[in-house]
Amino acid sequence: MSKSAVDVPPMGGFNFDLCRRNDMLAKKGVNPPSFRKTGTTIVGIVFQDGIILGADTRATEGPIVCDKNCEKIHYMAPNIYCCGAGTAADTEAVTDMVSSQLQLHRYHTGRESRVITALTLLKKHLFNYQGYVSAALVLGGVDCTGPHLHTIYPHGSTDTLPFATMGSGSLAAMAIFESKYREGLNRDEGIKLVCEAICSGVFNDLGSGSNVDVCVITKGHKEYLRNHMLPNPRTYISSRGYTFPKKTEVLITKITPLKDKEVVIEGGDAMEE
Amino acid sequence: MATTMVKENNAGPAQLLGPESASERTLYPYVTGTSVVALKYKDGILMAADMAASYGSTLRYKSVERMKSIGKHSLLGASGEISDFQEILRYLDELILYDNMWDDGNSLGPKEVHSYLTRVMYNRRNKFNPLWNSLVLGGVKNGQKYLGMVSMIGVNFEDNHVATGFGNHLARPILRDEWHENLSFEDGVKLLEKCMRVLLYRDRSAINKLQIAKITEEGVTISQPYALKTFWGFSAFQNPTVGAEGSW
């Protein structure tokens, strides 16, 4: 085993040096801290005028809900939005990064961004990191070539679909789409179908919950309906409100007098010198 | 060969599982059937299952009846290992035979058969030698409808609609939304077909050849195998790379 003294220039991408140590630690029972995931239901459909995207709003850290009302529909361009499932940090970072790359591209070319541009940038980045950037995305938008809806998997593969679902609640939402989707839906029918699919995920999947966000994108116009539906309101609030006393509460007062000290003079000399 | 109700696992040393001894317990399933979906309707129970049995990722058998009638009042559907399903049918055959031999005018109803199956599955699981199945038991006795499920570890419950395997994820949301009391026969069949169609699209081990079984006070009817209509004509499927020649 020759130890060459040549310095290799630092390479891009991931540095896998610590993987063996992590494996060894995991075998000894020391697990890495769990990261915040968006156990999720995200969906998208193509309707007659464009694209409708939908998402739930629950973010989980293992078994705990850490954010009851997070935003999973991310802005990419004025005419392109992207829903993200998987590790929350990864989806945020990757969509922010591609969003700024698209903006620079818009300045450079002077034209509206195309959905396939966003698709290619995301796909290239995710493939480069071989699935370690755990972001599963539903990308939708309307550009000069028409409406487009794509799904992107963490390893970098993509699909072009008329209706798409991702996340832990994807099977529940897909069941709704496969039975009820048809081409040429109008705006209200489309929003209703997307809400039904997200609600199916919210109520049938433990990783999804809280509210429904919807985003409607048409040619030249977009509508971001944050918290379009709130199917999980907080109902059991005491009408009397809660009052807290300003100091430590005195519950009972009980006085127990201590016995007086009795001096007993024993028989004999009182004091012996 | 004496048939006893409780089968003894007469492999002494193998149970301790030394490094060289062969294992006589079921470790993984080999020939498996996919989901079964069932629901209660006005007159009884409707159950649907396709006719496929896969050997790993090969679709090996395409005419397997995964639903069988048990006695006069029950209908059993199974997903999972087919050989274990056949073993369960033998156990139930014996049970029904002994019941008939009493000749007392009473016959085992679905609740009793379900209870028996639960005990069998749970006891096998406790011996670390499970029958690798998820069973759906439905029936009608004296006007009372009953629909229950037992899993391979002995989890059992009774409900208005059940599904096994992939049906849990794909069919349950649809059933929860659209099932209601007193469905007519046509509505029940339509609802089951909706669920089976989604399973056909999205479960890789499903095939387009299914049977629907109905059990009412009068008895059991299992339909002939038939196929569902599917739709593949979405414009995005015809031309996915419109606007982006060369991409996918």
Side-chain angles (χ1 to χ4, degrees):
Chain A
M1 212 163 70
S2 61
K3 283 198 185 145
S4 61
V6 177
D7 270 334
V8 185
M11 296 192 288
F14 258 20
N15 183 344
F16 290 95
D17 288 347
L18 286 174
C19 284
R20 252 175 81 200
R21 162 217 179 239
N22 289 342
D23 274 339
M24 188 268 296
L25 280 175
K27 272 198 201 69
K28 298 224 170 116
V30 178
N31 285 320
S34 75
F35 32 74
R36 182 173 141 197
K37 300 191 76 177
T38 54
T40 294
T41 310
I42 48 174
V43 306
I45 60 165
V46 177
F47 76 111
Q48 79 190 24
D49 303 324
I51 301 281
I52 305 182
L53 297 173
D56 75 307
T57 59
R58 175 183 282 185
T60 50
E61 222 165 43
I64 306 171
V65 176
C66 59
D67 191 348
K68 289 188 286 192
N69 209 356
C70 69
E71 284 190 21
K72 297 186 191 178
I73 305 186
H74 307 287
Y75 168 87
M76 296 284 258
N79 58 325
I80 308 175
Y81 272 76
C82 183
C83 308
T87 308
D90 286 338
T91 58
E92 287 278 345
V94 122
T95 47
D96 277 351
M97 183 190 82
V98 172
S99 170
S100 46
Q101 285 179 342
L102 286 176
Q103 176 78 307
L104 288 169
H105 194 244
R106 275 202 296 283
Y107 286 139
H108 202 70
T109 56
R111 290 179 173 75
E112 191 186 54
S113 299
R114 299 194 189 190
V115 181
I116 44 164
T117 317
L119 179 72
T120 313
L121 289 169
L122 284 165
K123 173 201 295 215
K124 259 183 65 169
H125 183 83
L126 292 175
F127 181 72
N128 207 19
Y129 284 86
Q130 288 291 299
Y132 282 96
V133 175
S134 175
L137 310 165
V138 170
L139 174 72
V142 181
D143 56 29
C144 59
T145 52
H148 295 277
L149 179 69
H150 302 281
T151 52
I152 309 164
Y153 288 83
H155 285 266
S157 64
T158 58
D159 287 308
T160 313
L161 299 164
F163 52 89
T165 67
M166 293 287 255
S168 55
S170 63
L171 283 90
M174 187 51 89
I176 301 293
F177 276 164
E178 285 283 15
S179 46
K180 296 190 184 162
Y181 178 80
R182 54 186 174 77
E183 303 229 272
L185 292 163
N186 68 29
R187 183 179 180 273
D188 292 324
E189 290 171 340
I191 294 184
K192 184 158 160 292
L193 182 62
V194 162
C195 285
E196 259 188 68
I198 299 286
C199 284
S200 171
V202 160
F203 292 114
N204 292 306
D205 173 49
L206 297 176
S208 316
S210 306
N211 318 121
V212 180
D213 286 350
V214 174
C215 183
V216 184
I217 310 175
T218 55
K219 182 121 188 79
H221 180 66
K222 67 156 192 289
E223 261 183 271
Y224 183 46
L225 304 166
R226 168 81 173 142
N227 284 358
H228 176 69
M229 246 178 95
L230 292 104
N232 290 302
R234 193 171 159 223
T235 41
Y236 304 108
I237 308 176
S238 159
S239 53
R240 287 175 290 125
Y242 300 97
T243 50
F244 299 100
K246 290 197 171 64
K247 56 178 165 72
T248 315
E249 265 186 80
V250 174
L251 294 171
I252 48 169
T253 313
K254 184 171 161 198
I255 302 174
T256 315
L258 296 171
K259 275 194 191 164
D260 283 344
K261 187 171 167 193
E262 288 174 25
V263 181
V264 175
I265 301 173
E266 289 188 9
D269 301 340
M271 244 199 295
E272 278 186 5
E273 276 306 325
Chain B
M1 183 157 44
T3 47
T4 48
M5 282 296 214
V6 176
K7 280 220 157 44
E8 283 300 308
N9 196 355
N10 54 355
Q15 278 179 333
L16 298 169
L17 265 200
E20 303 93 16
S21 62
S23 170
E24 293 195 22
R25 320 172 296 147
T26 307
L27 293 173
Y28 8 77
Y30 286 94
V31 181
T32 52
T34 182
S35 3
V36 176
V37 190
L39 46 81
K40 278 190 195 165
Y41 78 110
K42 190 163 51 102
D43 306 322
I45 311 287
L46 277 170
M47 198 184 291
D50 66 15
M51 301 192 71
S54 323
Y55 184 57
S57 51
T58 330
L59 238 178
R60 179 73 178 82
Y61 303 102
K62 294 202 249 190
S63 298
V64 177
E65 281 206 24
R66 293 193 291 118
M67 296 185 294
K68 294 283 183 189
S69 72
I70 311 288
K72 282 195 290 211
H73 304 283
S74 323
L75 175 64
L76 174 69
S79 73
E81 174 64 59
I82 298 294
S83 61
D84 284 344
F85 176 49
Q86 291 169 344
E87 185 76 355
I88 290 171
L89 287 177
R90 267 193 289 277
Y91 285 163
L92 288 175
D93 223 15
E94 213 186 311
L95 182 76
I96 299 293
L97 182 69
Y98 276 14
D99 185 47
N100 287 342
M101 277 168 24
W102 282 107
D103 201 19
D104 55 1
N106 194 11
S107 51
L108 288 175
K111 219 178 271 219
E112 289 83 52
V113 177
H114 186 225
S115 177
Y116 174 77
L117 285 172
T118 311
R119 291 294 105 222
V120 167
M121 301 298 268
Y122 186 64
N123 274 300
R124 288 290 295 255
R125 164 260 194 199
N126 282 343
K127 296 192 193 118
F128 275 90
N129 186 10
L131 288 160
W132 209 286
N133 292 108
S134 286
L135 305 167
V136 175
L137 202 300
V140 189
K141 187 175 174 201
N142 296 337
Q144 292 273 40
K145 300 183 283 230
Y146 185 88
L147 179 60
M149 199 175 117
V150 193
S151 81
M152 81 183 203
I153 50 174
V155 175
N156 75 304
F157 55 89
E158 201 220 317
D159 205 349
N160 291 324
H161 45 80
V162 296
T164 67
F166 249 96
N168 268 314
H169 297 107
L170 291 168
R172 273 252 169 84
I174 302 178
L175 290 168
R176 278 183 183 160
D177 267 349
E178 299 186 19
W179 184 88
H180 58 90
E181 287 275 1
N182 294 325
L183 278 167
S184 72
F185 175 70
E186 289 78 25
D187 284 340
V189 171
K190 252 207 279 195
L191 185 52
L192 271 185
E193 283 189 347
K194 202 185 231 196
C195 297
M196 294 306 283
R197 186 172 290 114
V198 179
L199 285 167
L200 172 63
Y201 284 140
R202 294 284 161 175
D203 181 4
R204 80 166 191 181
S205 29
I207 57 170
N208 199 359
K209 182 177 175 194
L210 65 138
Q211 289 181 308
I212 296 205
K214 150 172 93 108
I215 178 165
T216 58
E217 195 71 53
E218 284 89 49
V220 177
T221 329
I222 304 184
S223 76
Q224 286 300 319
Y226 69 103
L228 293 170
K229 275 217 247 330
T230 55
F231 179 69
W232 298 90
F234 295 115
S235 57
F237 288 171
Q238 319 290 18
N239 198 2
T241 59
V242 65
E245 311 309 319
S247 116
W248 69 93

